[in-house]
Amino acid sequence: MNSDALTADVLGDIALVLGTSSLLGALARRIGQPTVVGQITAGVILGPSVLGRLPGNLTERLFTHAAVPFISLIAQIAVVIFMFGVGYEIDLRSVRRHRRPVTFIAVGAIAVPLAIGTTIALTMDRIGTLHGAHTEGRSFVLFFGVATSITALPVLAAIVRERGIAGTTVGDIATSAAGFMDVVAWLVLAAAVVGTDVAGDRSLPRTVLLLAGFVAAAVAVVRPLLNWTLLRPGSALSDKAPVALVLAAAGAWVTASLGLHPIFGAFVAGMIMPKPQGAPDKGLLRAMEQTGGLLLPLFFVVTGLTMNIGALGGGGLALLAVMLVCGIGGKVGAGYAMARLGGLDTRQSAMIGALVNTRGLTELIALNVGLNAGIIDTRLFTVLVLMALITTFMTAPLLTVIERRLPAAAPPSAAASAGSGNAPESPYSTVRPR
């Protein structure tokens, strides 16, 4: 295939993916789901699970073997840009304000499902599902723990924004806890990848040491330099978008070179990007979200091309049922319990439990890493992708049920508010006194 024909195939595939994702994203919003749910569904529909089962082998004819690597590369760039925006949006002041609940939730909602996932992995060969070399060894056990315990920070942040709870106690705590959980999950995933072909011959202690050095250099050196360059009066760099793109790409390159996924480096880069008066620059944030979000459906279709629901069989469906029960119970239950211990009321705790159960985008990235490293095969990949989709789909309906069934905490009275000089808070932003 010559370059002109290949270019035409790639552009045609991009048009098809973006058009389908836009339609299904709009439909998802109409039925009360976040836009990303429709985009993920589009990726599954265009893959072998739906379109590939129709006469004419349409999936392979539309997404040729020559075009898919280019689509995958663009998809990875979109993920890097999007994750930079998520890191940039996080308000560290809210972490300090809610240190107790964030710490409790982050520890509990990662430790409990991680323990459940590793237990399932250790006993998988005994329950007679998905036999094979991929069910053995340290890498598989650690990877399965990550697959069960991960929370999709980008999707969670999107749900928080689209439901209008961004900036509230629930939104800030859930987003902050998810950020910490993602850091732990990527470190465990790094330990799982060490020893596989992807990571090369770098040892785990060396990888951890290099990663710590990268984060320390980013915080102690790069961040002050950026503050001096971008925030000082009369700075020549009035357009921050090019600086943000360079920073995101550089951070992603560092963590990719360490055997981790580029998304973590992009997230760290977003965290150290200067914020005027301590708040994100809305223009820059909007530009990064729109750029990454516009091309993000390409990542979902790449995932959809790898999975085939029709090839699961009885063993795969049985494992999916086990994963759903244990995964949902571990995440929602631990998130709720830890939020209550952290001082939140029943309604807030239930909402946080539902939010941290969202696995979508980050889970799909981790699963692709495991598949490419040879830790899992395509059949188990399909099971875990379905778990990620189902737990993501259920978040919005579960939040709606919680909002309708659990009463909101009464806001302060007008007199009390006037006496204290504070405006009444949102029902989402009250913390139960300790």
Side-chain angles (χ1 to χ4, degrees):
M1 180 182 294
N2 60 47
S3 60
D4 289 340
L6 179 58
T7 300
D9 278 355
V10 172
L11 292 175
D13 288 341
I14 292 175
L16 174 63
V17 172
L18 297 185
T20 305
S21 298
S22 296
L23 291 174
L24 293 183
L27 178 61
R29 290 195 301 272
R30 291 289 297 273
I31 62 175
Q33 289 281 355
T35 303
V36 70
V37 166
Q39 295 174 337
I40 295 174
T41 304
V44 176
I45 290 175
L46 292 174
S49 298
V50 180
L51 189 62
R53 300 181 70 85
L54 299 179
N57 203 8
L58 293 177
T59 296
E60 289 193 9
R61 293 182 64 180
L62 291 170
F63 301 94
T64 64
H65 293 293
V68 168
F70 292 93
I71 297 173
S72 300
L73 177 59
I74 298 172
Q76 292 299 325
I77 295 172
V79 170
V80 165
I81 295 173
F82 188 81
M83 273 306 298
F84 177 92
V86 172
Y88 182 62
E89 189 177 20
I90 288 183
D91 184 1
L92 292 178
R93 294 171 300 178
S94 70
V95 177
R96 291 191 291 267
R97 286 197 302 268
H98 309 297
R99 184 181 294 109
R100 177 185 171 92
V102 167
T103 303
F104 277 41
I105 294 164
V107 173
I110 190 75
V112 173
L114 184 66
I116 293 173
T118 54
T119 301
I120 294 175
L122 290 170
T123 60
M124 188 174 293
D125 57 340
R126 300 177 186 175
I127 61 178
T129 57
L130 301 178
H131 293 288
H134 65 280
T135 61
E136 301 173 359
R138 170 190 58 83
S139 292
F140 177 77
V141 172
L142 292 176
F143 175 83
F144 213 80
V146 171
T148 308
S149 59
I150 209 165
T151 294
L153 175 58
V155 180
L156 185 152
I159 292 174
V160 165
R161 287 193 300 270
E162 292 184 15
R163 294 191 72 93
I165 57 176
T168 66
T169 296
V170 168
D172 286 346
I173 290 177
T175 305
S176 301
F180 285 120
M181 286 188 284
D182 272 3
V183 172
V184 174
W186 288 121
L187 291 174
V188 178
L189 182 61
V193 173
V194 169
T196 65
D197 293 338
V198 172
D201 57 358
R202 185 181 292 113
S203 65
L204 177 59
R206 186 182 177 190
T207 300
V208 172
L209 182 62
L210 290 173
L211 178 61
F214 161 65
V215 174
V219 173
V221 179
V222 179
R223 185 174 185 177
L225 181 61
L226 289 172
N227 281 330
W228 180 83
T229 304
L230 298 177
L231 300 183
R232 64 188 177 90
S235 173
L237 296 175
S238 57
D239 186 1
K240 299 182 180 64
V243 178
L245 288 174
V246 170
L247 191 62
W253 171 77
V254 171
T255 52
S257 300
L258 296 178
L260 301 174
H261 197 278
I263 189 176
F264 181 57
F267 178 76
V268 173
M271 292 281 288
I272 66 170
M273 184 71 183
K275 301 175 182 179
Q277 288 80 47
D281 184 313
K282 293 183 179 179
L284 174 60
L285 184 60
R286 187 181 306 111
M288 300 300 287
E289 288 178 345
Q290 289 177 346
T291 303
L294 181 65
L295 297 176
L296 206 55
L298 296 175
F299 175 78
F300 299 132
V301 80
V302 170
T303 300
L305 292 175
T306 310
M307 60 184 292
N308 189 350
I309 299 174
L312 279 184
L317 293 176
L319 179 60
L320 175 60
V322 172
M323 292 297 301
L324 286 173
V325 171
C326 295
I328 295 171
K331 270 292 186 182
V332 176
Y336 174 82
M338 293 299 103
R340 292 290 287 160
L341 286 176
L344 302 184
D345 61 34
T346 302
R347 178 190 177 97
Q348 293 171 324
S349 301
M351 293 182 70
I352 288 176
L355 285 168
V356 298
N357 187 49
T358 304
R359 291 179 173 85
L361 176 57
T362 310
E363 173 89 338
L364 298 185
I365 294 170
L367 296 181
N368 278 277
V369 171
L371 182 65
N372 294 333
I375 300 174
I376 58 175
D377 61 10
T378 53
R379 195 170 171 219
L380 185 52
F381 176 83
T382 301
V383 170
L384 296 174
V385 168
L386 286 175
M387 181 192 72
L389 298 183
I390 292 171
T391 54
T392 304
F393 291 169
M394 66 181 288
T395 301
L398 188 55
L399 286 173
T400 299
V401 170
I402 292 169
E403 290 169 346
R404 291 177 178 175
R405 296 294 181 87
L406 296 179
S413 65
S417 299
S420 63
N422 297 323
E425 294 183 344
S426 161
Y428 293 114
S429 61
T430 55
V431 180
R432 179 167 56 87
R434 295 192 297 272

